[in-house]
PDB file of all heavy atoms in Angstrom:
ATOM      1  N   SER Y  10     -47.969 -58.235 -57.618  1.00  0.00           N
ATOM      2  CA  SER Y  10     -48.735 -57.031 -57.927  1.00  0.00           C
ATOM      3  C   SER Y  10     -49.795 -56.707 -56.885  1.00  0.00           C
ATOM      4  O   SER Y  10     -50.459 -55.679 -56.977  1.00  0.00           O
ATOM      5  CB  SER Y  10     -49.416 -57.202 -59.290  1.00  0.00           C
ATOM      6  OG  SER Y  10     -50.279 -58.334 -59.262  1.00  0.00           O
ATOM      7  N   ALA Y  15     -45.896 -52.571 -47.111  1.00  0.00           N
ATOM      8  CA  ALA Y  15     -46.716 -52.635 -45.911  1.00  0.00           C
ATOM      9  C   ALA Y  15     -45.818 -52.609 -44.692  1.00  0.00           C
ATOM     10  O   ALA Y  15     -44.666 -53.030 -44.752  1.00  0.00           O
ATOM     11  CB  ALA Y  15     -47.558 -53.916 -45.917  1.00  0.00           C
ATOM     12  N   SER Y  41     -32.073 -63.460 -34.934  1.00  0.00           N
ATOM     13  CA  SER Y  41     -30.950 -64.070 -34.224  1.00  0.00           C
ATOM     14  C   SER Y  41     -31.281 -64.337 -32.763  1.00  0.00           C
ATOM     15  O   SER Y  41     -30.510 -64.978 -32.065  1.00  0.00           O
ATOM     16  CB  SER Y  41     -29.714 -63.168 -34.323  1.00  0.00           C
ATOM     17  OG  SER Y  41     -29.970 -61.912 -33.713  1.00  0.00           O
ATOM     18  N   LYS Y  71     -32.539 -73.363 -54.657  1.00  0.00           N
ATOM     19  CA  LYS Y  71     -33.391 -74.074 -55.611  1.00  0.00           C
ATOM     20  C   LYS Y  71     -34.826 -73.577 -55.390  1.00  0.00           C
ATOM     21  O   LYS Y  71     -35.094 -72.405 -55.458  1.00  0.00           O
ATOM     22  CB  LYS Y  71     -33.247 -75.591 -55.454  1.00  0.00           C
ATOM     23  CG  LYS Y  71     -31.839 -76.102 -55.666  1.00  0.00           C
ATOM     24  CD  LYS Y  71     -31.340 -75.852 -57.088  1.00  0.00           C
ATOM     25  CE  LYS Y  71     -29.973 -76.448 -57.325  1.00  0.00           C
ATOM     26  NZ  LYS Y  71     -29.455 -76.217 -58.676  1.00  0.00           N
ATOM     27  N   ASP Y  72     -35.769 -74.461 -55.094  1.00  0.00           N
ATOM     28  CA  ASP Y  72     -37.148 -74.030 -54.865  1.00  0.00           C
ATOM     29  C   ASP Y  72     -37.579 -74.270 -53.420  1.00  0.00           C
ATOM     30  O   ASP Y  72     -38.750 -74.489 -53.134  1.00  0.00           O
ATOM     31  CB  ASP Y  72     -38.098 -74.762 -55.818  1.00  0.00           C
ATOM     32  CG  ASP Y  72     -38.000 -76.279 -55.703  1.00  0.00           C
ATOM     33  OD1 ASP Y  72     -37.122 -76.761 -54.948  1.00  0.00           O
ATOM     34  OD2 ASP Y  72     -38.795 -76.996 -56.351  1.00  0.00           O
ATOM     35  N   ASN Y  98     -40.092 -81.253 -42.494  1.00  0.00           N
ATOM     36  CA  ASN Y  98     -39.783 -82.535 -41.877  1.00  0.00           C
ATOM     37  C   ASN Y  98     -38.498 -82.346 -41.088  1.00  0.00           C
ATOM     38  O   ASN Y  98     -37.395 -82.480 -41.625  1.00  0.00           O
ATOM     39  CB  ASN Y  98     -39.618 -83.622 -42.942  1.00  0.00           C
ATOM     40  CG  ASN Y  98     -39.168 -84.950 -42.363  1.00  0.00           C
ATOM     41  OD1 ASN Y  98     -38.972 -85.088 -41.164  1.00  0.00           O
ATOM     42  ND2 ASN Y  98     -38.991 -85.946 -43.228  1.00  0.00           N
ATOM     43  N   SER Y 117     -27.707 -70.032 -57.570  1.00  0.00           N
ATOM     44  CA  SER Y 117     -28.495 -70.936 -58.403  1.00  0.00           C
ATOM     45  C   SER Y 117     -27.982 -72.376 -58.343  1.00  0.00           C
ATOM     46  O   SER Y 117     -28.765 -73.323 -58.431  1.00  0.00           O
ATOM     47  CB  SER Y 117     -28.506 -70.449 -59.853  1.00  0.00           C
ATOM     48  OG  SER Y 117     -27.197 -70.475 -60.401  1.00  0.00           O
ATOM     49  N   VAL Y 119     -25.398 -73.406 -55.905  1.00  0.00           N
ATOM     50  CA  VAL Y 119     -24.687 -73.695 -54.664  1.00  0.00           C
ATOM     51  C   VAL Y 119     -25.369 -72.988 -53.503  1.00  0.00           C
ATOM     52  O   VAL Y 119     -25.830 -71.852 -53.638  1.00  0.00           O
ATOM     53  CB  VAL Y 119     -23.206 -73.226 -54.761  1.00  0.00           C
ATOM     54  CG1 VAL Y 119     -22.487 -73.409 -53.441  1.00  0.00           C
ATOM     55  CG2 VAL Y 119     -22.481 -73.973 -55.849  1.00  0.00           C
ATOM     56  N   GLU Y 143     -24.324 -82.740 -51.711  1.00  0.00           N
ATOM     57  CA  GLU Y 143     -22.979 -82.965 -51.187  1.00  0.00           C
ATOM     58  C   GLU Y 143     -22.524 -81.737 -50.420  1.00  0.00           C
ATOM     59  O   GLU Y 143     -22.700 -80.610 -50.879  1.00  0.00           O
ATOM     60  CB  GLU Y 143     -21.992 -83.259 -52.317  1.00  0.00           C
ATOM     61  CG  GLU Y 143     -22.243 -84.578 -53.032  1.00  0.00           C
ATOM     62  CD  GLU Y 143     -21.153 -84.889 -54.045  1.00  0.00           C
ATOM     63  OE1 GLU Y 143     -20.185 -84.092 -54.141  1.00  0.00           O
ATOM     64  OE2 GLU Y 143     -21.266 -85.905 -54.739  1.00  0.00           O
ATOM     65  N   LEU Y 147     -15.782 -74.848 -49.347  1.00  0.00           N
ATOM     66  CA  LEU Y 147     -15.396 -73.913 -50.404  1.00  0.00           C
ATOM     67  C   LEU Y 147     -13.927 -73.597 -50.236  1.00  0.00           C
ATOM     68  O   LEU Y 147     -13.160 -73.635 -51.184  1.00  0.00           O
ATOM     69  CB  LEU Y 147     -16.241 -72.642 -50.335  1.00  0.00           C
ATOM     70  CG  LEU Y 147     -15.867 -71.542 -51.333  1.00  0.00           C
ATOM     71  CD1 LEU Y 147     -16.104 -72.020 -52.758  1.00  0.00           C
ATOM     72  CD2 LEU Y 147     -16.665 -70.274 -51.069  1.00  0.00           C
ATOM     73  N   SER Y 160     -22.112 -57.689 -44.839  1.00  0.00           N
ATOM     74  CA  SER Y 160     -21.386 -57.396 -46.086  1.00  0.00           C
ATOM     75  C   SER Y 160     -21.769 -58.336 -47.215  1.00  0.00           C
ATOM     76  O   SER Y 160     -21.396 -58.105 -48.362  1.00  0.00           O
ATOM     77  CB  SER Y 160     -19.875 -57.501 -45.846  1.00  0.00           C
ATOM     78  OG  SER Y 160     -19.478 -58.866 -45.686  1.00  0.00           O
ATOM     79  N   GLY Y 183     -14.966 -71.284 -57.612  1.00  0.00           N
ATOM     80  CA  GLY Y 183     -13.711 -70.563 -57.477  1.00  0.00           C
ATOM     81  C   GLY Y 183     -13.898 -69.323 -56.620  1.00  0.00           C
ATOM     82  O   GLY Y 183     -15.005 -68.797 -56.487  1.00  0.00           O
ATOM     83  N   VAL Y 184     -12.803 -68.844 -56.016  1.00  0.00           N
ATOM     84  CA  VAL Y 184     -12.850 -67.665 -55.147  1.00  0.00           C
ATOM     85  C   VAL Y 184     -11.841 -66.630 -55.646  1.00  0.00           C
ATOM     86  O   VAL Y 184     -10.688 -66.967 -55.939  1.00  0.00           O
ATOM     87  CB  VAL Y 184     -12.541 -68.026 -53.681  1.00  0.00           C
ATOM     88  CG1 VAL Y 184     -12.591 -66.776 -52.801  1.00  0.00           C
ATOM     89  CG2 VAL Y 184     -13.525 -69.059 -53.165  1.00  0.00           C
ATOM     90  N   MET Y 250     -27.287 -52.088 -45.444  1.00  0.00           N
ATOM     91  CA  MET Y 250     -27.666 -51.775 -46.815  1.00  0.00           C
ATOM     92  C   MET Y 250     -28.438 -52.944 -47.401  1.00  0.00           C
ATOM     93  O   MET Y 250     -28.099 -54.102 -47.149  1.00  0.00           O
ATOM     94  CB  MET Y 250     -26.436 -51.470 -47.665  1.00  0.00           C
ATOM     95  CG  MET Y 250     -25.825 -50.106 -47.379  1.00  0.00           C
ATOM     96  SD  MET Y 250     -24.472 -49.698 -48.499  1.00  0.00           S
ATOM     97  CE  MET Y 250     -23.098 -50.384 -47.589  1.00  0.00           C
ATOM     98  N   SER Y 267     -29.594 -47.764 -43.290  1.00  0.00           N
ATOM     99  CA  SER Y 267     -30.025 -47.250 -41.998  1.00  0.00           C
ATOM    100  C   SER Y 267     -28.831 -46.633 -41.297  1.00  0.00           C
ATOM    101  O   SER Y 267     -27.717 -47.149 -41.359  1.00  0.00           O
ATOM    102  CB  SER Y 267     -30.619 -48.377 -41.138  1.00  0.00           C
ATOM    103  OG  SER Y 267     -29.628 -49.338 -40.828  1.00  0.00           O
ATOM    104  N   VAL Y 336      -2.503 -30.080 -57.655  1.00  0.00           N
ATOM    105  CA  VAL Y 336      -1.725 -31.265 -57.988  1.00  0.00           C
ATOM    106  C   VAL Y 336      -0.462 -31.288 -57.127  1.00  0.00           C
ATOM    107  O   VAL Y 336       0.206 -30.266 -56.960  1.00  0.00           O
ATOM    108  CB  VAL Y 336      -1.338 -31.272 -59.481  1.00  0.00           C
ATOM    109  CG1 VAL Y 336      -0.544 -32.527 -59.829  1.00  0.00           C
ATOM    110  CG2 VAL Y 336      -2.585 -31.164 -60.351  1.00  0.00           C
ATOM    111  N   LEU Y 369      12.354 -32.788 -62.276  1.00  0.00           N
ATOM    112  CA  LEU Y 369      13.173 -33.549 -61.328  1.00  0.00           C
ATOM    113  C   LEU Y 369      13.681 -34.803 -62.003  1.00  0.00           C
ATOM    114  O   LEU Y 369      13.136 -35.257 -63.013  1.00  0.00           O
ATOM    115  CB  LEU Y 369      12.371 -33.890 -60.062  1.00  0.00           C
ATOM    116  CG  LEU Y 369      11.090 -34.715 -60.207  1.00  0.00           C
ATOM    117  CD1 LEU Y 369      11.373 -36.201 -60.035  1.00  0.00           C
ATOM    118  CD2 LEU Y 369      10.073 -34.283 -59.171  1.00  0.00           C
ATOM    119  N   SER Y 384     -18.068 -28.375 -56.525  1.00  0.00           N
ATOM    120  CA  SER Y 384     -18.343 -28.091 -57.935  1.00  0.00           C
ATOM    121  C   SER Y 384     -19.636 -28.782 -58.346  1.00  0.00           C
ATOM    122  O   SER Y 384     -20.089 -29.714 -57.686  1.00  0.00           O
ATOM    123  CB  SER Y 384     -17.195 -28.580 -58.818  1.00  0.00           C
ATOM    124  OG  SER Y 384     -17.088 -29.993 -58.733  1.00  0.00           O
ATOM    125  N   ARG Y 399      17.079 -41.828 -68.529  1.00  0.00           N
ATOM    126  CA  ARG Y 399      18.512 -41.520 -68.491  1.00  0.00           C
ATOM    127  C   ARG Y 399      19.297 -42.826 -68.623  1.00  0.00           C
ATOM    128  O   ARG Y 399      18.725 -43.917 -68.672  1.00  0.00           O
ATOM    129  CB  ARG Y 399      18.853 -40.791 -67.196  1.00  0.00           C
ATOM    130  CG  ARG Y 399      17.966 -39.562 -66.947  1.00  0.00           C
ATOM    131  CD  ARG Y 399      18.370 -38.817 -65.713  1.00  0.00           C
ATOM    132  NE  ARG Y 399      19.547 -37.978 -65.962  1.00  0.00           N
ATOM    133  CZ  ARG Y 399      20.220 -37.365 -65.010  1.00  0.00           C
ATOM    134  NH1 ARG Y 399      19.844 -37.475 -63.734  1.00  0.00           N
ATOM    135  NH2 ARG Y 399      21.269 -36.614 -65.319  1.00  0.00           N
TER     136      ARG Y 399
END
Side-chain angles (χ1 to χ4, degrees):
S10 59
S41 62
K71 301 297 184 181
D72 57 355
N98 175 0
S117 64
V119 175
E143 293 186 3
L147 176 64
S160 72
V184 180
M250 286 186 270
S267 65
V336 181
L369 59 93
S384 64
R399 307 183 79 190

